[in-house]
Amino acid sequence: MSSSEDVSCSEEETITLQQAFLKFRKETSKDAFITEKKKLKKKKVSKKKKSRTALREDFIMQALSYLGVPYGKRFHEEGYCTCEGCIESQVQLREEPLFLDCCALIRRCVKDLKSDFGFQLGLGNQGYQFDTLPMRVGSLLELEPGDLIFYEGVYYNEATKKPKHDIVHVEIFTGSGINGEGVIGSREQKKWVKEYEDYRIENSKRW
C-alpha cells in the first residue's frame, strides 16, 4: 500500500510539474513576443526620427548651395551699380541669373526636395509660409536645425503693405556659430543669401 501510494503521489507530482512547465513556456513565449514587438516598434520610431533628421540636414545643405545668390534684381541700378553689395562683391549683382529673397529661398529649397517632403510651397510670402507650415515650438530653446524662424515687425515705410500676422521675414535655423544660434537667410536687399552666427536682427533698415 505504501508503495502504491508513493507511485500515485509521484504521478500526480509529475503532471503538476508538466503543467507548470507548459505554463512557464507559454508565459515566457508571450513575454518574448511582447518584448520583440516593442523592439520592432522602437526600431521603426528610430528609423522615422533618423529620416526626419536626414531631411533636416538635406534642407540645410540645399540652402547652403544658394549662398551668394542675390536678394533681388530691382535693388540694383542698371548699367554700373555702386550699391554696397556690388562694391563688396565686386560683381554687378543685377546681371546674376537667379535672385532669392527670404521666402523665395525657403520655397526654392522645398521645391528642390519635393520628392522627399512630399509637397511644395506656393508663391505666397513669409506670412503664407507661416500659415502653411503649422508646427510650432514653445521657445527658441526647442529649435532644431532646419526649423524656420519667422520675424514679426512693422515696416518703417508706411506705404509698404501691412504683412499678414505682421511677419516681415523668415530664415532657416542651423544651430551653427559660436553660440549655436546660427541661421541661413536672405535678409539684406542689396546683398545675398548668407550664413549668420546669430538669428537676432537688431538693426534692420526696413522694420
Side-chain angles (χ1 to χ4, degrees):
M1 286 290 290
S2 177
S3 177
S4 176
E5 285 177 0
D6 289 341
V7 171
S8 177
C9 181
S10 177
E11 287 176 350
E12 185 177 340
E13 190 174 318
T14 303
I15 293 170
T16 303
L17 287 172
Q18 288 175 341
Q19 289 175 338
F21 177 69
L22 289 172
K23 184 180 179 183
F24 171 76
R25 283 190 61 184
K26 187 177 180 181
E27 289 178 350
T28 304
S29 299
K30 185 179 179 181
D31 290 341
F33 174 75
I34 292 172
T35 303
E36 192 62 29
K37 193 174 181 181
K38 285 181 178 178
K39 284 181 180 178
L40 289 171
K41 189 175 181 181
K42 189 175 181 181
K43 283 182 180 179
K44 286 180 180 178
V45 171
S46 299
K47 187 176 181 182
K48 186 176 181 181
K49 286 184 178 179
K50 186 178 180 181
S51 296
R52 184 172 292 182
T53 300
L55 183 53
R56 286 174 175 275
E57 291 173 353
D58 289 346
F59 184 54
I60 291 173
M61 291 303 296
Q62 199 61 34
L64 287 171
S65 73
Y66 290 113
L67 290 177
V69 173
Y71 182 100
K73 185 173 184 175
R74 65 191 177 93
F75 299 105
H76 304 283
E77 300 170 10
E78 292 186 29
Y80 187 76
C81 181
T82 57
C83 75
E84 57 181 334
C86 290
I87 296 299
E88 183 180 329
S89 65
Q90 298 184 348
V91 172
Q92 287 299 296
L93 298 174
R94 185 182 176 85
E95 306 304 320
E96 292 295 293
L98 178 65
F99 299 89
L100 296 171
D101 62 15
C102 65
C103 50
L105 173 63
I106 308 301
R107 187 186 312 119
R108 182 82 177 208
C109 291
V110 172
K111 182 181 179 181
D112 292 342
L113 299 171
K114 179 184 175 182
S115 60
D116 295 314
F117 277 110
F119 67 91
Q120 66 182 61
L121 296 170
L123 296 175
N125 63 13
Q126 54 273 9
Y128 156 80
Q129 292 177 354
F130 180 81
D131 283 338
T132 305
L133 307 170
M135 293 181 67
R136 307 283 186 263
V137 295
S139 71
L140 291 166
L141 295 175
E142 295 178 46
L143 284 173
E144 295 182 51
D147 282 343
L148 301 181
I149 299 179
F150 291 90
Y151 298 76
E152 291 183 13
V154 177
Y155 289 119
Y156 295 137
N157 186 350
E158 295 180 359
T160 303
K161 183 179 178 182
K162 178 180 170 63
K164 191 173 184 180
H165 308 303
D166 289 327
I167 294 176
V168 294
H169 186 59
V170 59
E171 293 184 348
I172 302 169
F173 181 74
T174 63
S176 60
I178 297 173
N179 298 317
E181 299 177 338
V183 291
I184 302 170
S186 187
R187 64 169 71 162
E188 301 170 79
Q189 291 180 333
K190 295 186 178 182
K191 293 192 176 181
W192 45 82
V193 177
K194 286 185 179 183
E195 280 190 274
Y196 298 90
E197 287 202 352
D198 193 337
Y199 64 84
R200 300 172 185 84
I201 303 176
E202 297 179 354
N203 298 308
S204 171
K205 297 177 181 179
R206 292 181 290 143
W207 69 81

